[in-house]
Short mmCIF file of all heavy atoms in Angstrom, two decimals:
data_model
loop_
_atom_site.label_atom_id
_atom_site.label_comp_id
_atom_site.label_asym_id
_atom_site.label_seq_id
_atom_site.Cartn_x
_atom_site.Cartn_y
_atom_site.Cartn_z
N THR A 62 111.18 52.12 70.70
CA THR A 62 111.09 51.01 69.75
C THR A 62 110.56 49.76 70.44
O THR A 62 109.74 49.03 69.87
CB THR A 62 112.48 50.75 69.13
OG1 THR A 62 112.83 51.91 68.37
CG2 THR A 62 112.47 49.55 68.21
N ASP A 88 98.86 37.62 73.39
CA ASP A 88 99.19 36.27 72.93
C ASP A 88 98.93 36.07 71.44
O ASP A 88 99.05 34.95 70.93
CB ASP A 88 98.35 35.24 73.72
CG ASP A 88 98.57 35.38 75.21
OD1 ASP A 88 99.72 35.70 75.58
OD2 ASP A 88 97.60 35.23 75.98
N ILE A 96 97.85 45.03 62.05
CA ILE A 96 98.70 46.22 62.06
C ILE A 96 99.64 46.13 60.85
O ILE A 96 99.82 45.04 60.29
CB ILE A 96 99.56 46.31 63.36
CG1 ILE A 96 100.25 44.96 63.64
CG2 ILE A 96 98.74 46.68 64.56
CD1 ILE A 96 101.65 44.89 63.36
N ALA A 136 97.38 52.50 46.02
CA ALA A 136 98.37 53.03 46.96
C ALA A 136 99.46 53.77 46.20
O ALA A 136 99.93 54.84 46.63
CB ALA A 136 98.97 51.90 47.80
N LYS A 149 113.54 48.09 40.81
CA LYS A 149 114.02 47.41 42.02
C LYS A 149 114.41 48.49 43.04
O LYS A 149 114.77 49.61 42.66
CB LYS A 149 115.27 46.57 41.69
CG LYS A 149 114.99 45.43 40.70
CD LYS A 149 114.59 44.17 41.47
CE LYS A 149 114.04 43.08 40.59
NZ LYS A 149 114.95 42.58 39.57
N ALA A 172 94.32 48.14 60.74
CA ALA A 172 93.62 48.95 61.74
C ALA A 172 94.56 50.00 62.32
O ALA A 172 94.14 51.10 62.66
CB ALA A 172 93.10 48.05 62.86
N VAL A 173 95.83 49.64 62.43
CA VAL A 173 96.81 50.56 63.05
C VAL A 173 98.11 50.53 62.23
O VAL A 173 98.62 49.46 61.90
CB VAL A 173 97.12 50.14 64.51
CG1 VAL A 173 98.03 51.17 65.17
CG2 VAL A 173 95.85 49.96 65.32
N LEU A 198 98.57 61.94 54.64
CA LEU A 198 98.18 60.53 54.49
C LEU A 198 97.33 60.09 55.69
O LEU A 198 96.33 59.40 55.53
CB LEU A 198 99.45 59.69 54.42
CG LEU A 198 99.26 58.24 54.04
CD1 LEU A 198 98.85 58.13 52.57
CD2 LEU A 198 100.54 57.45 54.28
N GLN A 232 106.72 60.12 80.60
CA GLN A 232 106.86 61.37 81.35
C GLN A 232 105.60 62.22 81.29
O GLN A 232 105.17 62.81 82.26
CB GLN A 232 108.04 62.18 80.79
CG GLN A 232 109.35 61.44 80.76
CD GLN A 232 109.87 61.17 82.15
OE1 GLN A 232 109.96 62.07 82.97
NE2 GLN A 232 110.19 59.92 82.44
N ASP A 235 100.39 64.42 75.86
CA ASP A 235 99.52 65.57 75.69
C ASP A 235 99.61 66.08 74.26
O ASP A 235 100.39 65.57 73.46
CB ASP A 235 99.92 66.69 76.67
CG ASP A 235 98.70 67.43 77.20
OD1 ASP A 235 97.74 67.61 76.42
OD2 ASP A 235 98.70 67.84 78.36
N SER A 255 113.15 73.90 70.63
CA SER A 255 114.52 73.98 70.14
C SER A 255 114.87 75.42 69.75
O SER A 255 114.10 76.03 69.00
CB SER A 255 114.69 73.08 68.92
OG SER A 255 115.97 73.16 68.41
N THR A 271 103.89 89.75 98.65
CA THR A 271 104.29 89.29 97.31
C THR A 271 105.38 88.22 97.39
O THR A 271 106.13 88.13 98.37
CB THR A 271 104.81 90.45 96.45
OG1 THR A 271 105.88 91.06 97.15
CG2 THR A 271 103.73 91.45 96.13
N CYS A 313 114.24 95.52 70.97
CA CYS A 313 113.25 94.87 70.08
C CYS A 313 112.22 94.10 70.90
O CYS A 313 111.95 92.92 70.62
CB CYS A 313 113.93 93.90 69.12
SG CYS A 313 115.40 94.50 68.30
N ILE A 314 111.65 94.73 71.90
CA ILE A 314 110.63 94.02 72.70
C ILE A 314 109.26 94.27 72.09
O ILE A 314 108.89 95.42 71.86
CB ILE A 314 110.64 94.52 74.17
CG1 ILE A 314 112.04 94.35 74.77
CG2 ILE A 314 109.60 93.76 75.00
CD1 ILE A 314 112.18 94.93 76.16
N TYR A 340 124.05 82.75 72.16
CA TYR A 340 124.48 81.95 73.31
C TYR A 340 125.16 82.92 74.28
O TYR A 340 126.03 83.70 73.87
CB TYR A 340 125.43 80.83 72.87
CG TYR A 340 124.73 79.84 71.98
CD1 TYR A 340 124.54 80.10 70.62
CD2 TYR A 340 124.21 78.65 72.50
CE1 TYR A 340 123.86 79.21 69.81
CE2 TYR A 340 123.54 77.75 71.69
CZ TYR A 340 123.36 78.04 70.35
OH TYR A 340 122.67 77.16 69.56
#
Side-chain angles (χ1 to χ4, degrees):
T62 295
D88 303 325
I96 48 105
K149 296 270 169 61
V173 186
L198 190 70
Q232 305 292 309
D235 217 324
S255 178
T271 57
C313 314
I314 304 175
Y340 295 81

